[in-house]
């Protein structure tokens, strides 16, 4: 791992002012690093700010505050003209492949486009390269002449991935890339992402609700709650020794106990579910936390080390020491 990270986010805030004076604090002070070639998962409930963070990192959204560094360059203050060449190095794949493929373009033309835009190849050569990209993602050269509607959902997502890797990006952001796909197809796409990450030494920021998917694709996980990172850890460690009570409840929801076991999954208290317009004081999770103390209502915990490569923003972490 090189000393300076591929991506370094510092104190990032992305706020959306609403018409009636309220403000959505979608991303509310995030620090995050991604090293070259590293696959990082970003998990959290719906509305926690994952997509906003991912888009802000690619500068697809204006930043309210903070810094985003990519390969040592300050994206937060680059003019768009200087962003353009960098865009080839950072690509994104979205949840709905049909919505991100032009239905009137043949697959060959769809794949040739980024090659031409970024002046990597033109004409026949671009088409040739497009064929190789298709083969690389598990499709075939004959598919160059077909239209997006002629493919299944999984195949379409492969096309989107092929388009994203056309420019050999150093960072791929995948925002729920398999959430819309059948369960049986998901694992195949996850395997493909993992292979590409290794072969191309490409970093991945993999945004998902699906903790199992994270295990298939990533080596490290960041857990987000109401605009903040509340825990980050190597994947295995997060599963076996979660330190933040929020992570614990996320895990309990997916790691169903055996029917014979007495232990029942803990459910998150539903009552007073806060939103990004009404972020609780102190620890923002305290209103739903099963072990919250007085201190949690008053003070906001910072991320701190609870183990090797493992940090949690909790005064009373479940593993790795006490508050
Ligand atoms: N353009 C916008 N204007 C106002 N509020 C927004 C906008 N985009 C996102 N939000 C709000 O910001 C918060 C974070 O949204 P975001 O889409 O980043 O969450 P997410 O973690 O990606 O959720 P999901 O898992 O459902 O995709 C939510 O409260 C959302 O309603
Ligand atoms: Mg999202």
């Amino acid at each position: 791992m090189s000393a300076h990270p591929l991506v370094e986010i510092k104190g990032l805030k992305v706020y959306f002012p609403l018409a009636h004076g309220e403000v959505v604090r979608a991303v509310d002070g995030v620090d995050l690093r991604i090293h070259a070639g590293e696959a990082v998962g970003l998990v959290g409930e719906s509305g926690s700010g994952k997509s906003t963070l991912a888009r802000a990192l690619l500068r697809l959204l204006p930043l309210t505050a903070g810094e985003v560094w990519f390969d040592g360059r300050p994206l937060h203050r680059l003019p768009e003209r200087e962003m353009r060449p960098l865009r080839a190095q950072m690509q994104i794949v979205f949840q709905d492949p049909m919505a991100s493929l032009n239905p009137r373009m043949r697959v060959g033309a769809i794949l040739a486009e980024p090659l031409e835009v970024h002046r990597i190849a033109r004409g026949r050569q671009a088409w040739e390269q497009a064929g190789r990209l298709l083969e690389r993602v598990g499709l075939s050269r004959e598919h160059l002449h077909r239209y997006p509607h002629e493919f299944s959902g999984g195949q379409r997502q492969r096309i989107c991935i092929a388009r994203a890797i056309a420019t050999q990006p150093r960072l791929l952001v995948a925002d729920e890339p398999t959430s819309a796909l059948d369960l049986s197809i998901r694992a195949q796409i996850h395997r493909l992402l993992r292979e590409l990450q290794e072969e191309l030494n490409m970093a991945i920021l993999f945004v998902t609700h699906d903790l199992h998917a994270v295990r298939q694709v990533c080596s490290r996980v960041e857990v987000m709650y109401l605009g903040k990172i509340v825990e980050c850890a190597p994947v295995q460690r997060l599963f076996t020794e979660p330190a933040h009570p929020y992570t614990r409840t996320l895990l309990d929801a997916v790691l169903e106990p055996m029917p014979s076991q007495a232990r029942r999954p803990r459910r998150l208290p539903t009552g007073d579910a806060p939103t990004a317009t009404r972020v609780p004081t102190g620890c923002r999770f305290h209103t739903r936390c099963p072990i919250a103390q007085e201190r949690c209502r008053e003070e906001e915990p910072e991320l701190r080390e609870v183990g090797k490569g493992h940090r949690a923003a909790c005064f009373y972490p479940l593993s790795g020491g006490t508050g």
Side-chain angles (χ1 to χ4, degrees), residues 46-47 49-52 55 95 175-176 207 209:
S46 185
K50 305 180 298 296
S51 295
T52 306
R55 284 169 173 76
Q95 177 173 338
D175 192 350
E176 309 264 8
V207 178
H209 283 101

Side-chain angles (χ1 to χ4, degrees), residues 234-246:
V235 159
Q236 268 320 315
R237 190 167 160 112
L238 191 94
F239 273 81
T240 54
E241 291 176 71
H244 200 287
Y246 176 61

Side-chain angles (χ1 to χ4, degrees), residues 71-213:
D71 200 19
R73 283 198 254 177
L75 301 194
H76 51 282
R77 51 167 196 257
L78 285 190
E80 186 52 40
R81 156 179 54 83
E82 287 177 48
M83 271 304 293
R84 225 166 289 143
L86 284 177
R87 296 219 176 271
Q89 296 185 36
M90 40 172 86
Q91 296 287 347
I92 185 163
V93 173
F94 296 100
Q95 177 173 338
D96 180 0
M98 200 55 193
S100 41
L101 297 171
N102 184 338
R104 285 178 297 276
M105 276 167 79
R106 288 179 201 274
V107 169
I110 289 172
L111 297 181
E113 196 172 64
L115 297 170
E116 289 176 350
V117 167
H118 292 288
R119 306 201 177 146
I120 296 165
R122 294 168 49 189
R124 269 196 72 81
Q125 223 190 349
W127 201 264
E128 184 57 35
Q129 216 160 312
R132 282 200 294 276
L133 284 166
L134 278 182
E135 286 168 355
R136 183 58 207 85
V137 299
L139 295 171
S140 82
R141 212 161 264 280
E142 283 115 67
H143 292 136
L144 284 173
H145 303 280
R146 301 216 192 137
Y147 289 93
H149 74 262
E150 298 177 65
F151 296 87
S152 68
Q155 288 175 321
R156 273 182 219 132
Q157 197 56 293
R158 286 176 193 271
I159 296 167
C160 291
I161 292 169
R163 178 177 56 185
I165 62 166
T167 57
Q168 301 208 311
R170 303 190 60 205
L171 172 69
L172 178 69
V173 173
D175 192 350
E176 309 264 8
T178 54
S179 307
L181 302 177
D182 287 347
L183 268 182
S184 58
I185 309 293
R186 284 186 198 178
Q188 297 171 15
I189 301 288
H190 296 152
R191 202 171 316 123
L192 173 65
L193 287 171
R194 180 98 220 187
E195 283 166 15
L196 293 171
Q197 176 244 338
E198 282 169 11
E199 279 173 31
L200 307 175
N201 190 32
M202 173 177 76
I204 297 184
L205 181 64
F206 183 72
V207 178
T208 183
H209 283 101
D210 181 353
L211 282 157
H212 291 300

Side-chain angles (χ1 to χ4, degrees), residues 231-266:
E231 181 160 12
C232 68
V235 159
Q236 268 320 315
R237 190 167 160 112
L238 191 94
F239 273 81
T240 54
E241 291 176 71
H244 200 287
Y246 176 61
T247 308
R248 179 57 187 273
T249 54
L250 286 181
L251 287 170
D252 281 348
V254 295
L255 304 175
E256 291 296 332
M258 304 300 285
S260 60
Q261 279 181 304
R263 183 179 150 271
R264 306 230 326 257
R266 275 197 258 171

